[in-house]
């Protein structure tokens, strides 16, 4: 059974940093992709970042480029994918979800991901 568990959320101030972790277990992920999405109250879920181990590539939303970094090692068991959040802004406040896509294609599309975690709350005060 595939499980994704997020951790590391919290309440911080503008300009602070956080590290979110996604622990994935239940299958191999060496040719998969792990993505991070977020949903703020009253807004649609949006893509944040993804790492594609099949293509050895990463992708970021324009709003987080230069501030967020995704990294992980698919050879570990369980797999852990970290999302480093730097220079946080109030508009980064949201529930952050990690998701796994076992046949990576367009990583920015939430609908292609096969498995999802429960989410972790990030709140950035001004």
């Amino acid at each position: 059974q595939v499980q994704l568990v997020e951790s590391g959320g919290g309440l911080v101030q503008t300009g602070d940093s956080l590290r979110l972790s996604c622990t994935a277990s239940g299958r191999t992920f060496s040719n998969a992709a792990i993505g991070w999405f977020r949903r703020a109250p009253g807004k649609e879920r949006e893509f944040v970042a993804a790492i594609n181990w099949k293509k050895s590539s990463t992708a970021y939303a324009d709003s987080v480029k230069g501030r967020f970094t995704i990294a992980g090692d698919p050879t570990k068991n369980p797999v852990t994918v970290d999302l480093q959040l730097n220079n946080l802004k109030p508009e980064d406040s949201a529930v952050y979800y990690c998701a796994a896509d076992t046949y990576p294609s367009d990583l920015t599309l939430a609908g292609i991901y096969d498995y999802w975690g429960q989410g972790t709350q990030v709140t950035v005060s001004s």
Side-chain angles (χ1 to χ4, degrees), residues 36-38 45-48 95-97 107-108 110 113 116:
W36 283 93
F37 290 76
R38 66 187 182 187
R45 180 173 49 187
E46 64 173 349
F47 169 76
V48 177
V95 177
Y96 283 70
Y97 300 89
L107 301 181
T108 66
Y113 287 81
W116 289 83

Side-chain angles (χ1 to χ4, degrees), residues 1-56:
Q1 180 182 356
V2 175
Q3 271 194 314
L4 301 177
V5 179
E6 303 93 338
S7 61
L11 172 63
V12 296
Q13 295 183 333
T14 298
D16 285 351
S17 298
L18 275 178
R19 175 170 290 182
L20 307 183
S21 292
C22 173
T23 300
S25 61
R27 62 161 289 150
T28 58
F29 293 92
S30 56
N31 288 315
I34 300 290
W36 283 93
F37 290 76
R38 66 187 182 187
R39 176 175 282 166
K43 294 188 177 180
E44 296 289 320
R45 180 173 49 187
E46 64 173 349
F47 169 76
V48 177
I51 185 166
N52 184 345
W53 288 311
K54 186 175 183 179
K55 294 188 175 182
S56 298

Side-chain angles (χ1 to χ4, degrees), residues 112-125:
I112 68 167
Y113 287 81
D114 306 294
Y115 306 99
W116 289 83
Q118 294 299 307
T120 185
Q121 176 72 49
V122 172
T123 303
V124 185
S125 64

